[in-house]
Amino acid sequence: MASIFSEAGSYFKLAYGDAYRMLRDMRLSVMVAAGATIGALIVGQVAGRLLVRTDLGQTVTQWLVALVGLYVAAPYSVALYRYVILEHIETKPEQLRADPATLTFFAWSAVLNLAATAPEMLGVLTEPNGPAPGEPVFTSYATSMLIMGAAVLVLAVLAMRIITFLPSLAVDAPNASLQRTWMMTRGRFWLIWLTAMLAGLPIVLASPVILTLTSALPNQFARLLTMFVEGVGFMVVLMLVGTSVSARLYQRLATEQAAA
């Protein structure tokens, strides 16, 4: 276990170093990829609540809007993965839009994004109106929450097993398939899980502290604006760290698989 912790710690250092270098050298890709993803999230939430009355309709609307963001971000996300894996800076990521690898990357990103909405959709379908007043603890609502929790757990485990899939698509690897990805990560679950947990730990620890301090600002507008900027900043850092972690793990595990 100590060796796994040490190895995961090395990826932690690489992740934040890669995040700094991407911000420094790949500013356009970082801005577009983050802006498209975050913008689609905000627009989807607003559009879903303003234009659609049902919870299921809101969830579907948010996913459809997310597709637009994923499409805009795709070539820039591919450029970021290639920067980490191939140590190659794409001067014009937009030229990658017609690349078959980018189109495949976008298509699978859309599928995985849809899969990520499964817990929410299950909750909406099983108990769309929430608990009724005065309902006992063990009700259909409680069952719905259990179903959602189980779905989240299953998705989290699957995410660890296919974490190297998008990086392999980004570099157009000949072994870029879910089956090969599943084989690549076999027996490495705890390393992948610990690496992911360590990488996100600084954000998990820092965000509530910083947001709590921000909430003490006397002016409401300044407080809300500052919290929004901080939230966007945290999401950008998580995006870059996640890109680095999955890319570095792909490099390591692909090398292991090729040597086996």
Side-chain angles (χ1 to χ4, degrees), residues 158-215:
L158 289 176
M160 297 299 100
R161 291 299 307 270
I162 63 172
I163 193 172
T164 61
F165 184 49
L166 288 181
S168 67
L169 292 175
V171 297
D172 197 20
N175 60 349
S177 69
L178 282 174
Q179 182 180 5
R180 294 297 294 272
T181 298
W182 194 265
M183 293 172 59
M184 185 185 297
T185 57
R186 184 166 53 191
R188 309 297 277 166
F189 177 84
W190 292 114
L191 170 64
I192 295 169
W193 180 83
L194 187 57
T195 299
M197 293 302 101
L198 285 178
L201 191 59
I203 303 299
V204 172
L205 295 177
S207 57
V209 175
I210 294 175
L211 292 174
T212 300
L213 293 175
T214 302
S215 65

Side-chain angles (χ1 to χ4, degrees), residues 43-56:
V43 172
Q45 290 284 342
V46 173
R49 295 183 183 279
L50 293 181
L51 302 178
V52 186
R53 293 183 180 274
T54 65
D55 290 342
L56 181 59

Side-chain angles (χ1 to χ4, degrees), residues 23-241:
L23 283 170
R24 182 192 64 196
D25 300 334
M26 300 287 286
R27 287 187 293 270
L28 176 62
S29 291
V30 171
M31 289 171 59
V32 176
T37 304
I38 296 171
L41 176 64
I42 295 171
V43 172
Q45 290 284 342
V46 173
R49 295 183 183 279
L50 293 181
L51 302 178
V52 186
R53 293 183 180 274
T54 65
D55 290 342
L56 181 59
Q58 290 176 4
T59 302
V60 173
T61 300
Q62 291 163 16
W63 177 73
L64 291 174
V65 174
L67 289 185
V68 179
L70 290 173
Y71 179 75
V72 174
Y76 300 92
S77 299
V78 168
L80 291 173
Y81 275 116
R82 292 186 179 185
Y83 174 72
V84 176
I85 298 171
L86 306 177
E87 299 181 356
H88 174 60
I89 299 176
E90 296 285 352
T91 54
K92 294 181 179 180
E94 185 60 31
Q95 294 178 351
L96 292 170
R97 187 166 298 283
D99 190 310
T102 303
L103 297 176
T104 304
F105 180 92
F106 161 68
W108 274 107
S109 296
V111 171
L112 296 176
N113 185 268
L114 176 61
T117 67
E120 184 177 356
M121 287 190 175
L122 285 173
V124 169
L125 291 172
T126 54
E127 192 65 31
N129 300 317
E135 274 189 321
V137 175
F138 295 103
T139 62
S140 60
Y141 180 73
T143 303
S144 173
M145 294 301 100
L146 289 173
I147 292 172
M148 287 179 63
V152 169
L153 180 61
V154 169
L155 283 175
V157 172
L158 289 176
M160 297 299 100
R161 291 299 307 270
I162 63 172
I163 193 172
T164 61
F165 184 49
L166 288 181
S168 67
L169 292 175
V171 297
D172 197 20
N175 60 349
S177 69
L178 282 174
Q179 182 180 5
R180 294 297 294 272
T181 298
W182 194 265
M183 293 172 59
M184 185 185 297
T185 57
R186 184 166 53 191
R188 309 297 277 166
F189 177 84
W190 292 114
L191 170 64
I192 295 169
W193 180 83
L194 187 57
T195 299
M197 293 302 101
L198 285 178
L201 191 59
I203 303 299
V204 172
L205 295 177
S207 57
V209 175
I210 294 175
L211 292 174
T212 300
L213 293 175
T214 302
S215 65
L217 291 174
N219 183 279
Q220 183 178 7
F221 176 76
R223 183 167 64 248
L224 292 175
L225 180 61
T226 305
M227 292 179 71
F228 174 76
V229 172
E230 289 170 351
V232 169
F234 288 137
M235 291 179 71
V236 171
V237 173
L238 280 176
M239 179 194 77
L240 295 178
V241 169

